[in-house]
Each structure stands twice: as structure tokens, then as C-alpha cells.
């Protein structure tokens, strides 16, 4: 008869320690994709290294004497920070139909999806967030709301987001005109 081999015990399971920052075993941290959030957090926690965003913000230009130079555009032009503006425009389609477009609300920190929903309810029409040809988000409202929309924007977002009467403009004949003339 056949003899049986002695019973072999299976090996004990390995105890693997997971990194509390990334959630993977510690030896796999440097194999994570370099653009993932976990890798960036792990790299920042290693020896006080500076993240890429912080390093880019810390870069400055200096002249021969060591004085800091203000960053300029090509040709020596200085970049002027413009104040955010809300621009309201009315376009026609199919002869009698109108679309009111609102640009610039996102510059004040307004969530465009919520603003479109409020405009749709207020004016009893369809409103949607769409991309303009210049790749910026805007709100399109079906119908002519040009007269009532600026007052609605001021009432809804004036105090909470800091929108004033001086920030509201409308387009008239391809020119941007203040909605509220100097009051």
C-alpha cells in the first residue's frame, strides 16, 4: 500500500502594514501615479518637502542687484488685475425668440448651476449652464429677461457675494454699457 507523506503545515499569513496616508503598503508608495492626490500627500509628508504648487508660488524674479521684479507680460507690459463683472446680453433666434445670456457670475463665487435653477424658477423659463465659444461657462435663459434680471441678481447675490450696481453691465450694439448709470 502507498505510504502517506507527513502533513505539511501551510505558511503563516504575512502581516502587512498599510500607510495611513495613502492606504497602500508602504513599499508601493513610490509606485503610485505622480499626479494622484495620495502620492502628493505622501511626498509632502516625507521629510518636509515642498509641494509643486507651493514651490511655483515661491518663485520670484530678481534683477542684478537682488531686488524683486514684478512679473510682466511679453513686451514689458504689466498684467492688470481686472475687477470681476456680470455681463447680461440678449440674443434673438428664430426671429421672435430671445435668449438672455449672463457672463461673469462665477467671478464672484456664484455656483452657476444653482443660479441657473433659480433663474429658471424666477422667470418661468428654461435656464442652463453652457460653455461659450471662449471656453467660459455662462447661463442661457430662454426668453427676454433683460429688464428684470439685474435686479434679481442684486437681490439674490448682492450682499452674500459682493455684487454691486457698478458690477452689472449689458451689451448694447456690441458695446458694454453699465446697467445702472451713475446714481
Amino acid at each position: 500500500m502507498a505510504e502517506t507523506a507527513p502533513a505539511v503545515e501551510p505558511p503563516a499569513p504575512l502581516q502587512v502594514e498599510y500607510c495611513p496616508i495613502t492606504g497602500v503598503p508602504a513599499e508601493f508608495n513610490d509606485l503610485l501615479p505622480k499626479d494622484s492626490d495620495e502620492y502628493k500627500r505622501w511626498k509632502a509628508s516625507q521629510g518636509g518637502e515642498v509641494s509643486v504648487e507651493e514651490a511655483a508660488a515661491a518663485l520670484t524674479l530678481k534683477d542684478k542687484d537682488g531686488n524683486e521684479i514684478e512679473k510682466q507680460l511679453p513686451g514689458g507690459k504689466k498684467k492688470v488685475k481686472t475687477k470681476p463683472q456680470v455681463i447680461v446680453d440678449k440674443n434673438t433666434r428664430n426671429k421672435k425668440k430671445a435668449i438672455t445670456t449672463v457672463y461673469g457670475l462665477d467671478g464672484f463665487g456664484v455656483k452657476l448651476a444653482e443660479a441657473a435653477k433659480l433663474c429658471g424658477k424666477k422667470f418661468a423659463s428654461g435656464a442652463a449652464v453652457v460653455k461659450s465659444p471662449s471656453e467660459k461657462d455662462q447661463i442661457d435663459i430662454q426668453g427676454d429677461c433683460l429688464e428684470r434680471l439685474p435686479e434679481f441678481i442684486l437681490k439674490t447675490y448682492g450682499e452674500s457675494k459682493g455684487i454691486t450696481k457698478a458690477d452689472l453691465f449689458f451689451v448694447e450694439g456690441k458695446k458694454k454699457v453699465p446697467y445702472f448709470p451713475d446714481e
Side-chain angles (χ1 to χ4, degrees), residues 30-112:
D30 51 350
L31 301 175
L32 288 169
K34 306 291 186 228
D35 59 343
S36 69
D37 292 334
E38 291 86 8
Y39 179 81
K40 290 176 185 175
R41 279 188 271 136
W42 173 74
K43 200 66 173 169
S45 70
Q46 298 294 313
E49 292 184 20
V50 180
S51 70
V52 175
E53 292 84 14
E54 293 171 359
L59 288 177
T60 59
L61 297 174
K62 295 186 178 181
D63 62 2
K64 295 177 184 176
D65 301 328
N67 300 328
E68 285 191 23
I69 301 174
E70 188 175 329
K71 294 181 182 178
Q72 297 179 347
L73 295 172
K77 297 178 182 176
K78 292 184 180 179
K79 187 172 184 180
V80 179
K81 291 188 179 181
T82 59
K83 187 177 175 189
Q85 300 173 341
V86 178
I87 302 168
V88 181
D89 186 15
K90 183 179 88 169
N91 298 318
T92 57
R93 64 176 183 91
N94 296 341
K95 296 182 183 174
K96 290 188 179 182
K97 306 284 184 184
I99 296 178
T100 306
T101 306
V102 182
Y103 308 92
L105 277 177
D106 52 347
F108 289 96
V110 175
K111 294 182 181 175
L112 295 181

Side-chain angles (χ1 to χ4, degrees), residues 2 18-19 29 33 37 53 62 70-71 78 83 103 108 115 118 131 135 138 151 162-163 167 169 176:
Y18 289 90
C19 177
N29 282 338
D37 292 334
E53 292 84 14
K62 295 186 178 181
E70 188 175 329
K71 294 181 182 178
K78 292 184 180 179
K83 187 177 175 189
Y103 308 92
F108 289 96
L118 286 174
K131 284 214 180 279
E135 294 296 320
Q138 64 188 24
E151 287 89 3
I163 300 175
D167 297 330
F169 295 88
K176 188 169 60 172

Side-chain angles (χ1 to χ4, degrees), residues 165 179-183:
K165 289 183 177 183
Y179 189 83
F180 298 99
D182 298 325
E183 293 182 0

